[in-house]
Amino acid sequence: MTSTTIIPAGSGNRARGGRLRRLDGADALVAALWLACGGLILVPIGALLVLAARGEHLSVLLQGDVLQAGANSLVSAIASALAAVVIGTVFSVLLERTDLRGRGALRLLALSPLLMPPFVGAIAWLGVAGPTSPLNLWWRDVFGAPLWSIYGADGVILLLTIHSYPIAMIIVSAALRRIPSDLEQAARIGGAGPIRALTSVTVPLLRPALVSSFVLIAVGNLADFGIPSIIGLPERFVTLATLVYRYLQSGTVDDPLAVVATIGVVLLVLAVLALVADAALARRGWELDSSNAVPERTPLGRARMPIGVTLWAVVLVITVLPLLALLTQTLLRAPGVPLTWENLTLDHFVRAVTTPSALAGAANSVMLATLAAVICGVLGLAIGVVVARTRGRASRGLGAVATVPQAIPGIVIAVAWLILAPTLGLFNTPWLILVAYVTSFTALVVQAVAAPLSATPTSAEEAARVAGAGRLRALVDISCRMAAPAAVAGAVVVAVTAVRELTLSVLLLSPGSQTLGVAIFNFQQAGAFNTASAWSLIVALVGLSVIGLATRRPR
Protein backbone atom coordinates (compact mmCIF):
# COMPACT_ATOMS: atom_id res chain seq x y z
CA MET A 1 0.00 0.00 0.00
CA THR A 2 1.32 3.42 -0.88
CA SER A 3 0.61 6.60 1.00
CA THR A 4 0.20 10.05 -0.39
CA THR A 5 1.46 13.09 1.48
CA ILE A 6 -0.77 16.13 1.19
CA ILE A 7 0.90 19.49 1.55
CA PRO A 8 -1.63 21.76 3.26
CA ALA A 9 -2.19 25.38 2.41
CA GLY A 10 0.31 27.71 3.97
CA SER A 11 3.05 25.08 4.31
CA GLY A 12 5.66 27.41 2.89
CA ASN A 13 7.69 27.21 -0.33
CA ARG A 14 9.39 23.88 0.43
CA ALA A 15 8.00 20.38 0.51
CA ARG A 16 9.32 17.41 2.52
CA GLY A 17 13.00 16.73 2.16
CA GLY A 18 13.74 20.36 1.35
CA ARG A 19 12.58 20.07 -2.26
CA LEU A 20 11.28 23.26 -3.80
CA ARG A 21 7.51 23.41 -4.20
CA ARG A 22 6.20 24.28 -7.64
CA LEU A 23 4.87 27.81 -7.89
CA ASP A 24 1.11 28.04 -8.30
CA GLY A 25 -1.69 30.57 -8.63
CA ALA A 26 -1.42 31.62 -4.98
CA ASP A 27 2.19 32.67 -5.54
CA ALA A 28 1.14 34.66 -8.59
CA LEU A 29 -1.52 36.36 -6.46
CA VAL A 30 1.05 37.30 -3.82
CA ALA A 31 3.34 38.69 -6.52
CA ALA A 32 0.51 40.75 -8.03
CA LEU A 33 -0.41 42.14 -4.61
CA TRP A 34 3.22 43.05 -4.00
CA LEU A 35 3.21 44.99 -7.28
CA ALA A 36 0.03 46.82 -6.24
CA CYS A 37 1.37 47.71 -2.78
CA GLY A 38 4.70 48.71 -4.25
CA GLY A 39 3.04 51.09 -6.71
CA LEU A 40 0.61 52.55 -4.17
CA ILE A 41 2.87 52.76 -1.10
CA LEU A 42 6.57 52.13 -1.68
CA VAL A 43 6.95 54.15 -4.88
CA PRO A 44 5.38 57.40 -3.52
CA ILE A 45 7.30 57.19 -0.24
CA GLY A 46 10.47 56.39 -2.19
CA ALA A 47 9.94 59.42 -4.44
CA LEU A 48 9.51 61.59 -1.35
CA LEU A 49 12.73 60.29 0.19
CA VAL A 50 14.68 60.67 -3.06
CA LEU A 51 13.59 64.28 -3.55
CA ALA A 52 14.38 65.19 0.05
CA ALA A 53 17.71 63.30 -0.01
CA ARG A 54 19.17 65.69 -2.55
CA GLY A 55 19.82 67.97 0.38
CA GLU A 56 19.24 71.16 -1.59
CA HIS A 57 16.67 72.48 0.86
CA LEU A 58 17.89 71.12 4.20
CA SER A 59 18.62 74.69 5.29
CA VAL A 60 14.89 75.43 5.18
CA LEU A 61 14.49 73.31 8.32
CA LEU A 62 16.49 75.90 10.25
CA GLN A 63 14.41 78.86 9.14
CA GLY A 64 12.44 80.68 11.80
CA ASP A 65 8.95 79.95 10.45
CA VAL A 66 9.68 76.23 10.03
CA LEU A 67 11.19 75.94 13.52
CA GLN A 68 8.22 77.79 15.02
CA ALA A 69 5.72 75.67 13.11
CA GLY A 70 7.55 72.50 14.18
CA ALA A 71 7.53 73.58 17.82
CA ASN A 72 3.81 74.41 17.61
CA SER A 73 3.08 71.02 16.04
CA LEU A 74 4.99 69.14 18.74
CA VAL A 75 3.41 71.12 21.58
CA SER A 76 -0.13 70.73 20.29
CA ALA A 77 0.31 67.04 19.44
CA ILE A 78 1.91 66.07 22.75
CA ALA A 79 -0.39 68.18 24.94
CA SER A 80 -3.55 67.00 23.19
CA ALA A 81 -2.41 63.36 23.27
CA LEU A 82 -1.72 63.52 27.00
CA ALA A 83 -5.08 65.14 27.72
CA ALA A 84 -6.88 62.68 25.41
CA VAL A 85 -5.31 59.67 27.16
CA VAL A 86 -6.29 61.00 30.58
CA ILE A 87 -9.89 61.69 29.54
CA GLY A 88 -10.24 58.44 27.61
CA THR A 89 -8.84 56.41 30.51
CA VAL A 90 -11.18 58.03 33.03
CA PHE A 91 -14.18 57.39 30.78
CA SER A 92 -13.12 53.79 30.13
CA VAL A 93 -12.55 52.93 33.78
CA LEU A 94 -15.84 54.49 34.87
CA LEU A 95 -17.86 52.84 32.10
CA GLU A 96 -16.20 49.41 32.19
CA ARG A 97 -15.42 48.87 35.88
CA THR A 98 -17.96 50.84 37.94
CA ASP A 99 -21.70 50.69 38.58
CA LEU A 100 -22.59 53.97 36.89
CA ARG A 101 -26.10 54.13 35.46
CA GLY A 102 -26.75 54.60 31.75
CA ARG A 103 -23.35 53.28 30.71
CA GLY A 104 -24.51 52.25 27.23
CA ALA A 105 -25.88 55.67 26.30
CA LEU A 106 -22.88 57.39 27.85
CA ARG A 107 -20.47 55.24 25.86
CA LEU A 108 -22.30 55.95 22.61
CA LEU A 109 -22.31 59.71 23.18
CA ALA A 110 -18.71 59.75 24.37
CA LEU A 111 -17.55 58.04 21.16
CA SER A 112 -19.54 60.31 18.82
CA PRO A 113 -16.76 62.94 18.31
CA LEU A 114 -14.84 60.24 16.46
CA LEU A 115 -17.42 60.35 13.64
CA MET A 116 -17.48 64.12 13.29
CA PRO A 117 -14.71 65.43 10.99
CA PRO A 118 -12.27 67.57 12.99
CA PHE A 119 -12.72 70.62 10.74
CA VAL A 120 -16.51 70.34 11.18
CA GLY A 121 -15.98 70.18 14.93
CA ALA A 122 -13.83 73.31 14.71
CA ILE A 123 -16.59 75.20 12.90
CA ALA A 124 -19.12 73.95 15.45
CA TRP A 125 -17.05 75.10 18.42
CA LEU A 126 -16.73 78.58 16.93
CA GLY A 127 -20.42 78.88 17.69
CA VAL A 128 -19.73 77.91 21.32
CA ALA A 129 -16.60 79.90 22.15
CA GLY A 130 -15.90 82.06 19.11
CA PRO A 131 -15.65 85.84 19.45
CA THR A 132 -19.23 86.29 18.19
CA SER A 133 -20.78 83.33 20.01
CA PRO A 134 -23.86 84.07 22.17
CA LEU A 135 -21.90 83.20 25.32
CA ASN A 136 -19.06 85.59 24.60
CA LEU A 137 -21.43 88.35 23.46
CA TRP A 138 -23.45 88.06 26.66
CA TRP A 139 -20.30 87.97 28.81
CA ARG A 140 -18.91 91.02 27.01
CA ASP A 141 -22.13 92.94 27.61
CA VAL A 142 -22.03 92.10 31.32
CA PHE A 143 -18.31 92.28 32.13
CA GLY A 144 -16.89 94.31 29.24
CA ALA A 145 -14.73 91.58 27.66
CA PRO A 146 -15.31 88.11 26.15
CA LEU A 147 -15.08 85.13 28.49
CA TRP A 148 -12.69 83.14 26.29
CA SER A 149 -11.96 82.98 22.58
CA ILE A 150 -11.27 79.58 21.11
CA TYR A 151 -8.85 81.01 18.54
CA GLY A 152 -5.20 80.25 19.23
CA ALA A 153 -3.01 77.49 20.63
CA ASP A 154 -5.26 76.63 23.57
CA GLY A 155 -8.26 76.22 21.28
CA VAL A 156 -6.27 73.98 18.90
CA ILE A 157 -5.16 71.75 21.79
CA LEU A 158 -8.70 71.59 23.19
CA LEU A 159 -10.29 70.54 19.92
CA LEU A 160 -7.53 68.05 19.08
CA THR A 161 -8.18 66.53 22.51
CA ILE A 162 -11.94 66.35 22.01
CA HIS A 163 -11.63 64.66 18.63
CA SER A 164 -8.96 62.14 19.70
CA TYR A 165 -9.91 61.02 23.21
CA PRO A 166 -12.37 58.42 21.77
CA ILE A 167 -9.34 56.63 20.27
CA ALA A 168 -7.78 56.32 23.73
CA MET A 169 -11.15 55.28 25.11
CA ILE A 170 -11.47 52.43 22.60
CA ILE A 171 -7.92 51.14 23.17
CA VAL A 172 -8.11 51.34 26.97
CA SER A 173 -11.57 49.76 27.07
CA ALA A 174 -10.30 46.82 25.01
CA ALA A 175 -7.33 46.44 27.38
CA LEU A 176 -9.63 46.56 30.42
CA ARG A 177 -11.67 43.67 29.05
CA ARG A 178 -8.49 41.57 28.77
CA ILE A 179 -7.38 42.18 32.36
CA PRO A 180 -8.59 39.28 34.55
CA SER A 181 -11.03 40.35 37.20
CA ASP A 182 -9.46 37.74 39.49
CA LEU A 183 -6.66 40.19 40.29
CA GLU A 184 -9.05 42.81 41.61
CA GLN A 185 -10.93 40.17 43.57
CA ALA A 186 -7.68 38.96 45.13
CA ALA A 187 -6.86 42.52 46.19
CA ARG A 188 -10.33 42.85 47.68
CA ILE A 189 -9.83 39.62 49.65
CA GLY A 190 -6.49 40.98 50.85
CA GLY A 191 -8.26 43.92 52.45
CA ALA A 192 -8.11 46.59 49.74
CA GLY A 193 -11.20 48.68 49.19
CA PRO A 194 -12.95 48.83 45.78
CA ILE A 195 -11.28 52.07 44.70
CA ARG A 196 -7.88 50.97 46.03
CA ALA A 197 -8.11 47.66 44.15
CA LEU A 198 -9.02 49.49 40.95
CA THR A 199 -6.24 52.07 41.17
CA SER A 200 -3.47 49.83 42.52
CA VAL A 201 -4.11 46.69 40.43
CA THR A 202 -6.05 47.47 37.25
CA VAL A 203 -4.74 50.89 36.27
CA PRO A 204 -1.00 49.93 36.44
CA LEU A 205 -1.70 47.02 34.07
CA LEU A 206 -3.04 49.51 31.52
CA ARG A 207 0.38 51.11 30.91
CA PRO A 208 1.03 49.40 27.54
CA ALA A 209 -2.42 50.45 26.28
CA LEU A 210 -1.87 54.00 27.57
CA VAL A 211 1.47 54.27 25.77
CA SER A 212 0.04 52.86 22.54
CA SER A 213 -2.93 55.22 22.57
CA PHE A 214 -0.66 58.19 23.33
CA VAL A 215 1.65 57.38 20.40
CA LEU A 216 -1.23 56.79 17.98
CA ILE A 217 -2.98 60.03 18.93
CA ALA A 218 0.20 62.12 18.94
CA VAL A 219 1.19 60.90 15.46
CA GLY A 220 -2.31 61.63 14.14
CA ASN A 221 -2.50 65.09 15.69
CA LEU A 222 1.02 66.00 14.60
CA ALA A 223 -0.08 66.58 11.01
CA ASP A 224 -3.77 67.47 11.43
CA PHE A 225 -4.77 70.27 9.09
CA GLY A 226 -8.44 71.11 9.68
CA ILE A 227 -8.36 72.27 13.31
CA PRO A 228 -5.10 74.31 13.15
CA SER A 229 -6.17 75.99 9.91
CA ILE A 230 -9.57 77.12 11.25
CA ILE A 231 -8.72 77.73 14.91
CA GLY A 232 -4.98 78.45 14.88
CA LEU A 233 -4.34 80.66 11.85
CA PRO A 234 -6.51 83.63 12.97
CA GLU A 235 -4.09 83.98 15.94
CA ARG A 236 -1.04 83.11 13.78
CA PHE A 237 -0.60 79.73 15.43
CA VAL A 238 1.05 77.96 12.47
CA THR A 239 1.74 74.23 12.43
CA LEU A 240 3.72 72.19 9.91
CA ALA A 241 0.52 71.12 8.15
CA THR A 242 -0.72 74.67 7.64
CA LEU A 243 2.81 75.82 6.71
CA VAL A 244 3.01 73.17 3.98
CA TYR A 245 -0.38 74.28 2.66
CA ARG A 246 0.81 77.88 2.56
CA TYR A 247 4.01 76.96 0.73
CA LEU A 248 2.11 74.96 -1.90
CA GLN A 249 -0.63 77.55 -2.43
CA SER A 250 1.26 80.83 -2.24
CA GLY A 251 4.58 80.02 -3.89
CA THR A 252 6.46 82.07 -1.29
CA VAL A 253 9.50 79.75 -1.54
CA ASP A 254 11.56 78.54 -4.46
CA ASP A 255 10.82 74.95 -5.54
CA PRO A 256 7.98 74.50 -3.00
CA LEU A 257 7.59 70.79 -3.77
CA ALA A 258 11.14 70.02 -2.72
CA VAL A 259 10.74 72.17 0.39
CA VAL A 260 7.56 70.44 1.51
CA ALA A 261 9.13 67.06 0.68
CA THR A 262 11.90 67.87 3.17
CA ILE A 263 9.32 68.82 5.79
CA GLY A 264 7.35 65.68 4.97
CA VAL A 265 10.39 63.49 5.62
CA VAL A 266 10.77 65.13 9.05
CA LEU A 267 7.16 64.24 9.87
CA LEU A 268 7.72 60.72 8.57
CA VAL A 269 10.83 60.26 10.71
CA LEU A 270 9.01 61.52 13.82
CA ALA A 271 6.12 59.12 13.20
CA VAL A 272 8.46 56.15 12.65
CA LEU A 273 10.49 56.94 15.77
CA ALA A 274 7.30 57.15 17.84
CA LEU A 275 6.07 53.80 16.53
CA VAL A 276 9.45 52.14 17.12
CA ALA A 277 9.46 53.41 20.69
CA ASP A 278 5.92 52.14 21.15
CA ALA A 279 6.89 48.69 19.82
CA ALA A 280 9.93 48.56 22.10
CA LEU A 281 7.82 49.42 25.14
CA ALA A 282 5.16 46.91 24.13
CA ARG A 283 7.70 44.07 24.15
CA ARG A 284 8.50 44.93 27.76
CA GLY A 285 4.84 44.76 28.83
CA TRP A 286 2.93 41.96 30.51
CA GLU A 287 0.93 39.24 28.79
CA LEU A 288 -2.05 38.17 30.92
CA ASP A 289 -4.42 35.29 30.39
CA SER A 290 -8.00 36.44 30.22
CA SER A 291 -10.49 35.15 32.76
CA ASN A 292 -13.99 33.86 32.20
CA ALA A 293 -15.13 35.36 35.47
CA VAL A 294 -17.65 38.19 35.11
CA PRO A 295 -15.96 41.43 36.25
CA GLU A 296 -17.37 42.68 39.50
CA ARG A 297 -18.17 46.34 39.04
CA THR A 298 -16.72 48.64 41.65
CA PRO A 299 -19.50 50.30 43.67
CA LEU A 300 -19.12 54.05 43.81
CA GLY A 301 -21.39 54.43 46.83
CA ARG A 302 -22.34 58.01 47.63
CA ALA A 303 -20.12 59.28 44.83
CA ARG A 304 -22.23 57.48 42.23
CA MET A 305 -24.71 60.32 41.74
CA PRO A 306 -22.24 63.27 41.56
CA ILE A 307 -19.84 61.32 39.32
CA GLY A 308 -22.71 60.32 37.03
CA VAL A 309 -24.04 63.88 36.82
CA THR A 310 -20.55 65.24 36.11
CA LEU A 311 -19.88 62.66 33.41
CA TRP A 312 -23.23 63.28 31.73
CA ALA A 313 -22.62 67.04 31.83
CA VAL A 314 -19.15 66.71 30.26
CA VAL A 315 -20.37 64.34 27.52
CA LEU A 316 -23.37 66.52 26.67
CA VAL A 317 -21.18 69.64 26.48
CA ILE A 318 -18.75 67.83 24.19
CA THR A 319 -21.37 66.33 21.88
CA VAL A 320 -24.71 68.14 22.00
CA LEU A 321 -23.57 71.73 22.58
CA PRO A 322 -21.53 71.96 19.33
CA LEU A 323 -24.50 70.62 17.35
CA LEU A 324 -26.77 73.23 18.88
CA ALA A 325 -24.16 75.87 18.05
CA LEU A 326 -24.07 74.70 14.43
CA LEU A 327 -27.85 74.87 14.26
CA THR A 328 -27.82 78.37 15.74
CA GLN A 329 -25.15 79.58 13.30
CA THR A 330 -27.15 78.14 10.42
CA LEU A 331 -30.45 79.78 11.41
CA LEU A 332 -29.18 83.26 12.44
CA ARG A 333 -29.34 85.94 9.77
CA ALA A 334 -25.75 87.06 10.50
CA PRO A 335 -23.00 86.14 12.99
CA GLY A 336 -23.25 88.04 16.25
CA VAL A 337 -26.90 89.11 16.05
CA PRO A 338 -29.09 88.30 19.07
CA LEU A 339 -30.79 84.91 19.18
CA THR A 340 -34.41 85.97 18.71
CA TRP A 341 -37.26 84.72 16.55
CA GLU A 342 -36.96 87.77 14.30
CA ASN A 343 -33.34 86.91 13.50
CA LEU A 344 -33.97 83.29 12.54
CA THR A 345 -34.11 82.26 8.88
CA LEU A 346 -33.74 79.24 6.63
CA ASP A 347 -32.09 81.25 3.85
CA HIS A 348 -28.55 80.09 4.71
CA PHE A 349 -29.56 76.45 4.68
CA VAL A 350 -31.33 76.85 1.32
CA ARG A 351 -28.35 78.72 -0.09
CA ALA A 352 -25.98 76.02 1.15
CA VAL A 353 -27.81 73.12 -0.49
CA THR A 354 -28.24 75.03 -3.75
CA THR A 355 -24.71 76.41 -4.13
CA PRO A 356 -23.22 74.85 -7.30
CA SER A 357 -19.69 74.57 -5.90
CA ALA A 358 -20.88 72.73 -2.79
CA LEU A 359 -23.13 70.41 -4.79
CA ALA A 360 -20.27 69.67 -7.19
CA GLY A 361 -18.00 69.03 -4.20
CA ALA A 362 -20.57 66.67 -2.67
CA ALA A 363 -20.90 64.78 -5.97
CA ASN A 364 -17.12 64.50 -6.32
CA SER A 365 -16.81 63.32 -2.72
CA VAL A 366 -19.45 60.62 -3.22
CA MET A 367 -17.82 59.48 -6.46
CA LEU A 368 -14.29 59.37 -5.07
CA ALA A 369 -15.41 57.78 -1.80
CA THR A 370 -17.37 55.08 -3.67
CA LEU A 371 -14.47 54.27 -5.99
CA ALA A 372 -12.03 54.25 -3.08
CA ALA A 373 -14.31 51.93 -1.10
CA VAL A 374 -14.58 49.47 -4.02
CA ILE A 375 -10.84 49.45 -4.77
CA CYS A 376 -9.82 49.30 -1.12
CA GLY A 377 -12.43 46.60 -0.48
CA VAL A 378 -11.16 44.32 -3.27
CA LEU A 379 -7.46 44.99 -2.62
CA GLY A 380 -7.82 44.80 1.14
CA LEU A 381 -9.78 41.54 0.91
CA ALA A 382 -7.07 39.91 -1.20
CA ILE A 383 -4.23 41.15 1.02
CA GLY A 384 -6.05 40.24 4.23
CA VAL A 385 -6.78 36.70 3.00
CA VAL A 386 -3.18 36.18 1.89
CA VAL A 387 -1.80 37.51 5.18
CA ALA A 388 -4.15 35.40 7.30
CA ARG A 389 -4.12 32.17 5.30
CA THR A 390 -0.63 31.80 3.83
CA ARG A 391 2.78 31.52 5.42
CA GLY A 392 6.15 32.81 4.42
CA ARG A 393 8.20 35.96 4.39
CA ALA A 394 6.44 37.30 1.30
CA SER A 395 3.03 37.20 3.00
CA ARG A 396 4.30 38.70 6.26
CA GLY A 397 6.10 41.46 4.40
CA LEU A 398 3.01 42.17 2.31
CA GLY A 399 0.92 42.64 5.45
CA ALA A 400 3.52 44.95 6.98
CA VAL A 401 3.77 47.12 3.85
CA ALA A 402 -0.01 47.30 3.43
CA THR A 403 -0.50 48.64 6.97
CA VAL A 404 2.40 51.13 6.87
CA PRO A 405 0.22 54.09 5.69
CA GLN A 406 -1.68 54.03 8.98
CA ALA A 407 1.51 55.22 10.66
CA ILE A 408 2.18 57.92 8.04
CA PRO A 409 0.57 61.36 8.43
CA GLY A 410 -1.83 62.17 5.62
CA ILE A 411 0.13 65.26 4.68
CA VAL A 412 3.17 63.07 3.89
CA ILE A 413 1.12 60.84 1.58
CA ALA A 414 -0.30 63.90 -0.18
CA VAL A 415 3.15 65.40 -0.79
CA ALA A 416 4.47 62.04 -2.00
CA TRP A 417 1.76 61.77 -4.64
CA LEU A 418 2.24 65.40 -5.65
CA ILE A 419 5.83 64.51 -6.54
CA LEU A 420 4.73 61.61 -8.76
CA ALA A 421 1.67 63.29 -10.29
CA PRO A 422 3.39 65.02 -13.27
CA THR A 423 5.27 61.86 -14.21
CA LEU A 424 2.15 59.68 -14.12
CA GLY A 425 -0.12 62.21 -15.82
CA LEU A 426 -2.30 62.59 -12.71
CA PHE A 427 -1.59 66.25 -12.06
CA ASN A 428 -4.75 68.42 -11.96
CA THR A 429 -7.05 65.39 -12.15
CA PRO A 430 -9.42 63.95 -9.53
CA TRP A 431 -7.67 60.58 -9.89
CA LEU A 432 -4.75 61.98 -7.91
CA ILE A 433 -7.04 62.28 -4.89
CA LEU A 434 -8.37 58.78 -5.55
CA VAL A 435 -4.95 57.08 -5.53
CA ALA A 436 -4.06 58.97 -2.35
CA TYR A 437 -7.30 57.69 -0.77
CA VAL A 438 -6.45 54.12 -1.78
CA THR A 439 -2.93 54.47 -0.35
CA SER A 440 -4.22 55.83 2.95
CA PHE A 441 -7.29 53.68 3.54
CA THR A 442 -6.52 50.18 2.19
CA ALA A 443 -5.05 49.27 5.59
CA LEU A 444 -8.51 49.72 7.14
CA VAL A 445 -9.89 46.85 5.07
CA VAL A 446 -6.77 44.70 5.51
CA GLN A 447 -7.09 44.87 9.28
CA ALA A 448 -10.85 44.30 9.15
CA VAL A 449 -10.28 41.11 7.13
CA ALA A 450 -7.04 39.68 8.56
CA ALA A 451 -7.86 39.93 12.27
CA PRO A 452 -11.05 37.79 12.35
CA LEU A 453 -9.85 35.44 9.59
CA SER A 454 -6.66 34.65 11.52
CA ALA A 455 -8.77 33.48 14.47
CA THR A 456 -10.88 31.18 12.24
CA PRO A 457 -9.86 27.49 11.89
CA THR A 458 -8.44 26.43 8.53
CA SER A 459 -10.36 23.16 8.43
CA ALA A 460 -12.59 24.24 5.52
CA GLU A 461 -9.58 25.18 3.35
CA GLU A 462 -7.82 21.94 4.24
CA ALA A 463 -10.93 19.98 3.26
CA ALA A 464 -10.98 21.78 -0.09
CA ARG A 465 -7.32 20.87 -0.63
CA VAL A 466 -8.03 17.23 0.18
CA ALA A 467 -10.84 17.30 -2.39
CA GLY A 468 -8.32 18.39 -5.04
CA ALA A 469 -8.58 22.19 -5.05
CA GLY A 470 -5.39 24.15 -5.51
CA ARG A 471 -4.19 26.75 -3.03
CA LEU A 472 -5.61 29.65 -5.04
CA ARG A 473 -8.96 27.93 -5.54
CA ALA A 474 -9.20 27.20 -1.80
CA LEU A 475 -8.39 30.81 -0.96
CA VAL A 476 -10.97 32.17 -3.39
CA ASP A 477 -13.79 29.72 -2.74
CA ILE A 478 -13.42 29.39 1.03
CA SER A 479 -11.35 32.16 2.61
CA CYS A 480 -12.58 35.03 0.45
CA ARG A 481 -16.21 34.06 0.94
CA MET A 482 -15.77 33.85 4.70
CA ALA A 483 -14.01 37.23 4.80
CA ALA A 484 -16.35 39.02 2.37
CA PRO A 485 -18.65 40.48 5.09
CA ALA A 486 -15.64 41.89 6.95
CA ALA A 487 -14.32 43.38 3.70
CA VAL A 488 -17.70 45.01 3.01
CA ALA A 489 -17.71 46.49 6.51
CA GLY A 490 -14.18 47.79 5.98
CA ALA A 491 -15.17 49.28 2.63
CA VAL A 492 -18.07 51.11 4.27
CA VAL A 493 -15.63 52.56 6.81
CA VAL A 494 -13.41 53.68 3.91
CA ALA A 495 -16.34 55.38 2.18
CA VAL A 496 -17.42 57.22 5.34
CA THR A 497 -13.84 58.29 6.02
CA ALA A 498 -13.12 59.43 2.48
CA VAL A 499 -16.33 61.41 1.95
CA ARG A 500 -15.48 63.75 4.84
CA GLU A 501 -11.68 63.85 4.38
CA LEU A 502 -9.91 67.23 4.16
CA THR A 503 -6.10 66.99 4.49
CA LEU A 504 -5.45 64.94 1.34
CA SER A 505 -8.13 66.72 -0.68
CA VAL A 506 -7.06 70.27 0.11
CA LEU A 507 -3.42 69.59 -0.80
CA LEU A 508 -4.23 67.62 -3.97
CA LEU A 509 -7.02 69.94 -5.13
CA SER A 510 -7.30 70.52 -8.86
CA PRO A 511 -9.79 72.37 -11.10
CA GLY A 512 -13.05 70.45 -11.25
CA SER A 513 -12.15 68.03 -8.45
CA GLN A 514 -13.23 70.00 -5.38
CA THR A 515 -14.56 67.78 -2.60
CA LEU A 516 -17.22 68.57 -0.01
CA GLY A 517 -14.65 69.01 2.74
CA VAL A 518 -12.72 71.53 0.64
CA ALA A 519 -15.96 73.35 -0.23
CA ILE A 520 -16.86 73.75 3.46
CA PHE A 521 -13.30 74.86 4.23
CA ASN A 522 -13.42 77.45 1.44
CA PHE A 523 -16.77 78.80 2.69
CA GLN A 524 -15.23 79.25 6.15
CA GLN A 525 -12.10 80.94 4.80
CA ALA A 526 -14.16 83.26 2.57
CA GLY A 527 -16.25 84.49 5.50
CA ALA A 528 -19.45 82.63 4.54
CA PHE A 529 -19.73 81.29 8.09
CA ASN A 530 -23.46 80.55 7.94
CA THR A 531 -23.13 78.50 4.75
CA ALA A 532 -20.17 76.60 6.19
CA SER A 533 -22.18 75.95 9.35
CA ALA A 534 -25.15 74.63 7.36
CA TRP A 535 -23.04 72.10 5.48
CA SER A 536 -21.14 71.21 8.66
CA LEU A 537 -24.46 70.50 10.38
CA ILE A 538 -25.49 68.20 7.52
CA VAL A 539 -22.17 66.30 7.67
CA ALA A 540 -22.34 66.01 11.46
CA LEU A 541 -25.90 64.68 11.47
CA VAL A 542 -25.09 62.16 8.73
CA GLY A 543 -22.10 60.95 10.75
CA LEU A 544 -24.17 60.54 13.91
CA SER A 545 -26.82 58.70 11.91
CA VAL A 546 -24.15 56.27 10.70
CA ILE A 547 -23.04 55.45 14.24
CA GLY A 548 -26.66 55.08 15.29
CA LEU A 549 -27.36 52.57 12.51
CA ALA A 550 -24.09 50.74 13.09
CA THR A 551 -24.75 50.27 16.80
CA ARG A 552 -28.46 49.45 16.51
CA ARG A 553 -29.20 45.97 17.79
CA PRO A 554 -31.54 43.82 15.69
CA ARG A 555 -34.67 42.59 17.37
Side-chain angles (χ1 to χ4, degrees), residues 521-546:
F521 176 74
N522 288 338
F523 284 139
Q524 182 71 21
Q525 296 299 301
F529 303 115
N530 301 93
T531 305
S533 298
W535 272 111
S536 299
L537 181 63
I538 295 173
V539 172
L541 292 178
V542 169
L544 293 177
S545 300
V546 169

Side-chain angles (χ1 to χ4, degrees), residues 74-85:
L74 287 175
V75 169
S76 60
I78 293 175
S80 60
L82 285 173
V85 170

Side-chain angles (χ1 to χ4, degrees), residues 135-146:
L135 175 61
N136 272 328
L137 291 177
W138 172 80
W139 195 274
R140 185 180 61 187
D141 293 338
V142 175
F143 298 99

Side-chain angles (χ1 to χ4, degrees), residues 245-415:
Y245 176 74
R246 189 181 75 189
Y247 282 168
L248 291 175
Q249 296 297 318
S250 64
T252 54
V253 295
D254 296 331
D255 198 358
L257 202 55
V259 172
V260 298
T262 305
I263 297 175
V265 169
V266 173
L267 289 171
L268 180 61
V269 170
L270 290 175
V272 171
L273 290 177
L275 294 173
V276 169
D278 178 37
L281 291 174
R283 286 196 296 267
R284 297 171 57 185
W286 302 280
E287 186 69 26
L288 298 174
D289 294 329
S290 59
S291 172
N292 292 327
V294 178
E296 183 179 351
R297 297 194 179 275
T298 302
L300 296 175
R302 295 181 178 179
R304 182 183 184 184
M305 180 61 70
I307 290 178
V309 171
T310 302
L311 198 61
W312 271 105
V314 171
V315 170
L316 290 177
V317 167
I318 290 175
T319 58
V320 177
L321 190 58
L323 292 177
L324 293 178
L326 276 179
L327 180 61
T328 301
Q329 293 178 84
T330 302
L331 296 179
L332 284 177
R333 295 185 180 277
V337 299
L339 184 60
T340 61
W341 285 108
E342 292 77 13
N343 291 326
L344 297 182
T345 179
L346 293 175
D347 293 343
H348 301 300
F349 185 82
V350 174
R351 187 179 301 113
V353 297
T354 56
T355 302
S357 61
L359 294 177
N364 287 334
S365 291
V366 171
M367 178 199 65
L368 293 173
T370 302
L371 291 175
V374 172
I375 296 173
C376 291
V378 174
L379 185 60
L381 173 62
I383 295 174
V385 167
V386 167
V387 170
R389 284 299 196 244
T390 63
R391 300 291 180 267
R393 295 180 179 178
S395 300
R396 292 194 298 270
L398 179 65
V401 171
T403 55
V404 159
Q406 280 198 320
I408 301 176
I411 190 174
V412 176
I413 295 176
V415 173

